[in-house]
Amino acid sequence: MEKKDLRIVYMGTPEFAVESLKRLVEGGYNVVAVVTMPDKPMGRHGSVLQPSPVKEYAVSQGLNVLQPVKLKDEAFLEELRALKADLQIVVAFRMLPKEVWAMPRLGTFNCHASLLPQYRGAAPINWAIINGDKETGVTTFFLKHEIDTGEIIDQVRIPIADTDNVEQVYDRLMNLGAEQVVKTVDMILEGNVKTTPQEELATEETLRPAPKIFKETCRIDWTAGVKKVYDFIRGLSPYPAAWTELVQGENKPVMLKVFETEKIFCEHQEAPGTILTDGKSYFRVASTDGYVNILSLQLAGKKRMLVGDFLRGFHHSEESRLV
């Protein structure tokens, strides 16, 4: 079968999924429809509807777009059946019911931003960096009922530098994932797919999950040690951003987002969260085995700024600390 004859339904929502769709469209593959989330209400009264990045690109290319509220809705399933897709591709979408993923004759494959079976879940890039991993990658696999557990088609690795934040790794994996999606489609077209059960790739006893990240997940624990705090901050930078609270005497605590730091390992007697600063150029926070030197941050209601700019308006006292 030629690629122009392979009927593909593509499923995705965020920016991460746009690049893979773009490579398919520009590569001359036959994308017969795109499935994405319903438009999101925005604005003070929810009166403005914001389309997903995938929808915006699909519309710009004149592609057929489906936006079901419920994936088991019979009207949507009928519409999907009528497309007579040979293959479905999922990149950063939602969990699919069997009625959907089992529909195409060649199956449904997912491109996941981790080295499965590690980091199954919604936030694999963040958690790999938070946990201080030295490498990550992308995996394509056929869907089955349990989330992110299907047999692996292909997998490719990239290093994570000690200075990388989540934005930098995200961008690399987005492009790498797009390459892998096209490669996987070609493998399926050529009949060269040899799948591997995830259990055979589980080289470590403990599988690390990648659950969805919420606001409270992002709170910094200054007792965790310098390396863990440093990795935690870069694993959430620039979005959704790690945060802490600045306490100054009887004043109400103020939220402080932290984006960029340095590690300083040393012995000291300060309690975790204690601030050490010259008021001009450095802003160090004590942890159990040294200090985390903050380079860029953002006070609630203010813009992100370098630490020197922050210190010009910061009045340090012995009572000041981060919690």
Side-chain angles (χ1 to χ4, degrees):
M1 178 184 288
E2 298 292 325
K3 62 183 181 181
K4 63 182 177 61
D5 299 319
L6 182 73
R7 298 177 63 82
I8 297 172
V9 169
Y10 186 87
M11 301 183 179
T13 294
E15 178 193 17
F16 189 88
V18 174
E19 188 62 29
S20 293
L21 177 58
K22 184 178 179 182
R23 300 281 182 97
L24 290 168
V25 171
E26 293 182 354
Y29 295 85
N30 184 20
V31 180
V32 296
V34 171
V35 182
T36 190
M37 291 287 283
D39 295 356
K40 189 176 181 180
M42 302 289 287
R44 181 174 297 179
H45 304 293
S47 57
V48 178
L49 294 178
Q50 177 66 43
S52 73
V54 163
K55 180 182 177 180
E56 288 182 333
Y57 176 77
V59 169
S60 76
Q61 300 301 306
L63 298 174
N64 181 23
V65 177
L66 308 181
Q67 295 180 273
V69 175
K70 296 181 179 179
L71 295 176
K72 289 186 177 181
D73 181 78
E74 189 55 40
F76 166 67
L77 293 175
E78 279 299 317
E79 201 169 7
L80 204 56
R81 290 188 197 102
L83 293 168
K84 297 181 180 178
D86 300 302
L87 178 69
Q88 289 177 160
I89 301 171
V90 180
V91 181
F93 192 48
R94 21 197 300 211
M95 186 173 178
L96 301 182
K98 185 175 182 179
E99 294 93 326
V100 174
W101 60 256
M103 193 178 293
R105 66 180 185 86
L106 295 176
T108 299
F109 79 81
N110 182 292
C111 182
H112 187 72
S114 83
L115 297 173
L116 290 172
Q118 294 292 358
Y119 300 113
R120 294 167 176 161
I125 306 174
N126 301 89
W127 287 107
I129 300 172
I130 288 169
N131 288 334
D133 287 7
K134 302 293 186 184
E135 67 174 1
T136 184
V138 294
T139 304
T140 54
F141 66 97
F142 283 117
L143 263 64
K144 67 177 188 179
H145 182 67
E146 295 82 7
I147 190 167
D148 296 338
T149 61
E151 293 202 348
I152 289 173
I153 304 168
D154 197 19
Q155 190 172 80
V156 63
R157 299 167 179 264
I158 62 166
I160 302 175
D162 185 59
T163 53
D164 282 338
N165 64 21
V166 73
E167 182 177 51
Q168 293 163 325
V169 178
Y170 178 102
D171 288 344
R172 293 205 294 273
L173 290 182
M174 179 174 64
N175 288 290
L176 185 64
E179 293 173 8
Q180 288 304 109
V181 164
V182 173
K183 180 183 174 184
T184 299
V185 173
D186 289 343
M187 290 168 66
I188 292 170
L189 273 171
E190 295 162 6
N192 291 333
V193 172
K194 294 182 180 179
T195 59
T196 304
Q198 290 194 27
E199 292 74 20
E200 293 184 13
L201 297 180
T203 56
E204 300 177 34
E205 291 183 6
T206 303
L207 293 182
R208 299 183 294 280
K212 187 175 181 179
I213 290 174
F214 298 95
K215 179 183 176 181
E216 197 54 40
T217 313
C218 301
R219 185 165 194 155
I220 300 168
D221 176 8
W222 296 106
T223 69
V226 169
K227 179 67 164 66
K228 286 189 175 180
V229 171
Y230 172 83
D231 290 338
F232 184 79
I233 290 168
R234 67 192 182 99
L236 296 167
S237 178
Y239 182 83
W243 62 274
T244 186
E245 285 188 318
L246 173 62
V247 175
Q248 294 181 289
E250 299 299 319
N251 295 329
K252 183 179 178 181
V254 179
M255 179 184 282
L256 192 70
K257 291 182 178 180
V258 183
F259 300 99
E260 189 180 2
T261 64
E262 293 175 331
K263 305 184 294 290
I264 302 174
F265 294 102
C266 64
E267 293 185 4
H268 63 78
Q269 303 301 317
E270 304 288 355
T274 300
I275 297 168
L276 183 67
T277 180
D278 63 353
K280 297 178 181 179
S281 61
Y282 68 82
F283 187 77
R284 299 169 185 168
V285 186
S287 189
T288 53
D289 56 350
Y291 292 91
V292 176
N293 188 38
I294 297 178
L295 302 177
S296 65
L297 67 169
Q298 181 180 1
L299 273 170
K302 304 289 185 179
K303 293 182 179 180
R304 177 176 173 173
M305 64 186 81
L306 296 175
V307 71
D309 297 325
F310 165 76
L311 289 173
R312 278 195 282 272
F314 175 66
H315 302 289
H316 180 59
S317 70
E318 291 184 0
E319 296 176 321
S320 301
R321 67 189 190 281
L322 298 182
V323 296

